[in-house]
Amino acid sequence: MKHSRLLLLVTGLLAACGGSEQKKDKPTEVIASTADSVGAAPKRQNCQSIIGAERLGKANEYQESAKPLKVTITLEQDTSATQTTKGCYFNNMVTVLANKKSGSRVFKRTLTKDDLVYFTKNDTPIEEAVLQNTLYKPTFNGQKYITLTMRLMEPVSKKTSDYTVYMNYFGEIVKVR
């Protein structure tokens, strides 16, 4: 008698748990399919690039004699775009790869223009601009920083602005000027 009650209790619990899982799965599917049909962003078409295709994907290597690092900077096209009054322009991103002279990796970091927003007071010029170029800036001191100059260009007015980015050897942005 004891075992039959226990068996009945366990069977009831399993049936209750199994039924609730089925009920939870069905609304999730409905919500997911509704979100796919409603929340799908339209694909951007006819976007322009401010950089020639020959410069994209080309790795630029920099080596300083005073530092034990070799820095490789590669400019790529991002999947996002900036809308302007004259159309849309593809955003760009830069991949910074720092290796020791022995070849072992120190860090790899992908930077976009949005990384600069956290360090500036006015983010409107950054949001309206597109990353045009990134250059390694040599430092002749013993500090353990990598200094980059990120040039942003506003596509309509062609106005450029330069931001100096200081990164530590962990790939973290320390400050922006």
Side-chain angles (χ1 to χ4, degrees):
M1 188 72 169
K2 210 181 209 183
H3 293 291
S4 62
R5 285 185 190 173
L6 185 61
L7 183 62
L8 183 61
L9 179 66
V10 170
T11 305
L13 286 173
L14 288 175
C17 290
S20 66
E21 286 179 12
Q22 291 174 355
K23 289 179 184 176
K24 288 181 182 176
D25 288 345
K26 289 180 183 177
T28 306
E29 292 173 8
V30 173
I31 292 170
S33 64
T34 306
D36 289 341
S37 62
V38 174
K43 292 185 178 180
R44 301 185 197 284
Q45 296 179 356
N46 300 327
C47 287
Q48 303 171 22
S49 178
I50 61 169
I51 301 174
E54 69 279 353
R55 289 187 48 209
L56 293 172
K58 182 182 172 192
N60 295 322
E61 293 184 359
Y62 301 94
Q63 174 71 51
E64 281 189 51
S65 60
K67 290 189 178 184
L69 290 179
K70 178 174 73 169
V71 179
T72 305
I73 298 175
T74 308
L75 192 63
E76 295 287 342
Q77 195 171 62
D78 198 359
T79 57
S80 65
T82 299
Q83 292 286 7
T84 63
T85 56
K86 294 184 179 182
C88 72
Y89 291 86
F90 283 114
N91 289 323
N92 297 313
M93 61 184 174
V94 64
T95 302
V96 180
L97 175 65
N99 291 326
K100 292 181 181 179
K101 285 186 179 179
S102 64
S104 63
R105 181 183 290 181
V106 177
F107 73 87
K108 181 179 182 180
R109 170 88 189 259
T110 301
L111 298 172
T112 61
K113 68 176 184 170
D114 296 331
D115 292 323
L116 301 174
V117 172
Y118 300 110
F119 296 93
T120 58
K121 293 178 183 176
N122 186 8
D123 57 344
T124 304
I126 294 172
E127 290 174 354
E128 295 174 352
V130 175
L131 179 64
Q132 181 184 16
N133 200 4
T134 302
L135 298 171
Y136 179 77
K137 202 171 168 186
T139 55
F140 299 104
N141 54 17
Q143 293 180 348
K144 295 196 174 198
Y145 292 114
I146 294 173
T147 308
L148 305 172
T149 301
M150 294 178 74
R151 175 167 285 174
L152 300 179
M153 183 176 84
E154 205 284 312
V156 176
S157 67
K158 304 293 186 204
K159 179 183 173 188
T160 61
S161 54
D162 290 339
Y163 295 91
T164 304
V165 178
Y166 297 90
M167 298 175 68
N168 62 14
Y169 283 3
F170 297 109
E172 300 167 338
I173 297 175
V174 178
K175 65 180 174 179
V176 174
R177 286 189 184 175

